[in-house]
Amino acid sequence: MVTTHNLGFPRIGARRELKLGLESYWKGQSTLADLTTLGAALRRQHWADQAALDLAPVGDFSFYDQVLDMSFTLGNLPERVQGFQGEALDNYFRVARGRSAQTAEAHAGCCGGVAAGEMTKWFDTNYHYIVPEFTSATEFKLDASRLLEQLAEARSQGVKAKPVIIGPVTYLAIGKSKDGSDRLALLERLLPVYAQLLDTLAAQGVEWLQIDEPILVTELDADWQHAFNTAYHHLKVSKLKLLLATYFGQLQENAYLAAHLPVAGLHVDAINDREGVRPLLNLLPAHKVLSLGVVNGRNIWKTDLNATLDWLEPLARQLGQRLWIAPSCSLLHVPVDLASEQKLDADILSWLAFARQKLAELQVLAQALNGGRDSVREALAANQAALAARRASPRVNNPAVKLAVARITEDLGRRESPYGQRAPKQAALLQLPRFPTTTIGSFPQTAEIRQARSEFKAGRLDLPAYQAVMRAEIERAVREQEALGLDVLVHGEAERNDMVEYFGEQLEGYAFSQFGWVQSYGSRCVKPPILFGDISRPHTMTVEWTRYAQSLTDKPMKGMLTGPVTILNWSFVRDDQPRSASCLQLALAIRQEVLDLEQAGVRVIQIDEAALREGLPLRRAQWQSYLSWAVQSFRITANGVRDETQIHTHMCYSEFNDIMASIADMDADVITIETSRSDMELLDAFDHFSYPNEIGPGVYDIHSPNIPTEQHMVALMKKAAERVPAERLWVNPDCGLKTRQWPEVIPALTHMVAAAKTLRAELA
Ligand code: GLN
Ligand code: ZN
């Protein structure tokens, strides 16, 4: 008999109950008791959803973040929150949310002015965790209370519990040393606490513990490989059976290491590493359980159950009782329940599976393995019919789009002339001063804008009335920018709810869910649009707004688009063709918009690639192939314009030293990037590789309500001018201003324009 289990269930609730509960508690509108009651109710619901499994996860629920939970379990709290007198959960939220360091002083009397823990992406997902902090003095101390309470709770509900924790090597690997010390040196201090935790759980009669070590799917140097051996030899004395869980990628050269660690079972991601399973089987000692992740935990498409069984059945015969099956990774990364969707049309609905549906698929697979495919004949037939309909659907397949992609040639991505020849033509046309000033696109999304949008969506505001509100906002943004004296203006993006959704809604091949929320961090959720079919652009998307904005001013108005790579990386993407193929389709669609903007007289066009970096594969060995199609897609989008048209791109991060060559290869005339928070550290990279075109290193940290002074911005730009010739520098904020308020933006941009004038005078 095959064993079924799950690595983790989404915790936000089918209707984002956790988000609402957290936010109401943080605003003081509900009590801690309300919140803990809500947590218990959600866990009860999630365990009920998983009742058919042989083993259900316990400890995967979190009020904020599972990595932060682990830090609390290990007693690894940042020094700044130690000794807190209040409720433990409040202290937990202090680490998670803190108060930004800048406003710490103002909060000295209330919350103690704690800086929030740093957040970063969990492997290659869109989930952000709170980074564990280490110093050479870090000590660990077990606090098993959360796990023990949830274990007791699960058992009282008859749950066949398998507690879940993050393994010691991954825990150290994903953390950050605050004092430059080697975090691996802490392993020796950490392992006894893990051993104690294992003993504590064993004493409760726990049989299996899932211990997550996803770092095993990345390239590990000898020290980190050695750490795995040290760690698991230390922990093997425990009476617990350990299921070592890896996911998100391929074990490759770590397969031998993973197979031979002294644990009772190994979980691998058989979606991302199907090719690795057979070889792994030959390595795996004959007593070990092999758990195969056969239902994709990272996307929303139905599993091909028959194809999965074709592959799985021989393995099941070979492994017998030793075979377990599960989703590939925690279901944290998919929405909760497809049954909530009322507006998705029936075709598309029939192709999808959210968390609850994925567990049902797992059940069908197990039943087929245990009782033969005949025992689930109907379920398999329904699955097959849905997949066949999807494959044949004219909504998925657009021959014209496929043909256009097949006809892509090298020169589609090449500008007429190299930058050196374009730049003087653009300068002659645009007549910009040195250190030209601009912004990244959006201006504050005011309450009026949001209200008009929701009234419009609800049908209470008609299109002309809605458009009138948006036009008024655009006019306001243009007038403000003229008064500020900015050089290249933007229309302000009032009409955009979101930089990806806005385009997805206008492209063929996209669908939108109502409740397809996925946790991004804490109470923050995102609802990625669903790229299900061949992409085409039936009509222009931004031209009218931009044309209107340009009609209000003589200054150049920048057209604003989101690039293909970012649209792709922030969507749920079809699984029936390579991501690169979908990206090229997006590139062709956005390219048409670029050309239409140019046709409409727009002289500067910005194509945002905010998410280009986050698409990088987990293994460096695969970076080049991703970067090559990502850059090609951008080039196809951008480079069909005349020499005189100036292409900008924008990226929301400063770590691009390691991909600088690819970014330069995009060949945008101007790139704007986030640098103000890192004090222009980014520009260190220019010692080795200089960006050949123009660059606008952000001087205004838009994440903070602080208003930067003119002197501060001048100083940052002077640092930049040490590395980049002054005639190639632009002056701009780090990112868009949509989350800020006008009363902050006006003085900050006033200072920014003044800074540019000072620079012109001083560095002339
Ligand atoms: N143009 C977008 C804006 O200004 C860019 C947002 C982003 O980079 N995340 O809001
Ligand atoms: Zn940005």
Side-chain angles (χ1 to χ4, degrees), residues 440-442 493 496 499 560-561 570 606 608 610 650-652 735-738:
I440 306 304
S442 57
E493 301 181 23
R496 303 189 190 173
M499 65 188 284
M560 302 298 309
L561 301 171
W570 285 345
Q606 177 173 315
D608 292 328
H650 164 71
M651 294 175 184
C652 306
C735 193
L737 300 166
K738 65 169 167 246

Side-chain angles (χ1 to χ4, degrees), residues 313-333:
E313 280 164 348
L315 293 168
R317 281 194 290 276
Q318 190 177 339
L319 284 161
Q321 301 280 355
R322 292 164 56 212
L323 176 65
W324 291 17
I325 58 172
S328 59
C329 58
S330 166
L331 295 174
L332 180 64
H333 311 289

Side-chain angles (χ1 to χ4, degrees), residues 467-479 490-491 495 542-555 557 597 600 602:
Q467 286 174 333
V469 178
M470 295 302 132
R471 281 214 192 88
E473 284 295 335
I474 290 172
E475 176 158 11
R476 172 185 188 178
V478 172
R479 297 286 165 252
V490 297
H491 77 288
E495 79 290 4
T542 63
V543 174
E544 282 320 308
W545 298 120
T546 316
R547 204 202 301 267
Y548 173 69
Q550 181 69 81
S551 76
L552 301 172
T553 178
D554 294 330
K555 295 256 176 102
M557 177 62 57
L597 280 170
V602 178

Side-chain angles (χ1 to χ4, degrees), residues 121 126 499-500 562-571 579 608-616 626 630 650-653 659:
K121 276 172 185 284
N126 252 324
M499 65 188 284
V500 170
T562 302
V565 187
T566 297
I567 297 183
L568 184 88
N569 284 343
W570 285 345
S571 301
R579 289 171 73 81
D608 292 328
E609 284 294 16
L612 186 126
R613 192 176 209 292
E614 51 188 69
L616 281 173
Y626 165 77
H650 164 71
M651 294 175 184
C652 306
Y653 41 81
I659 55 170

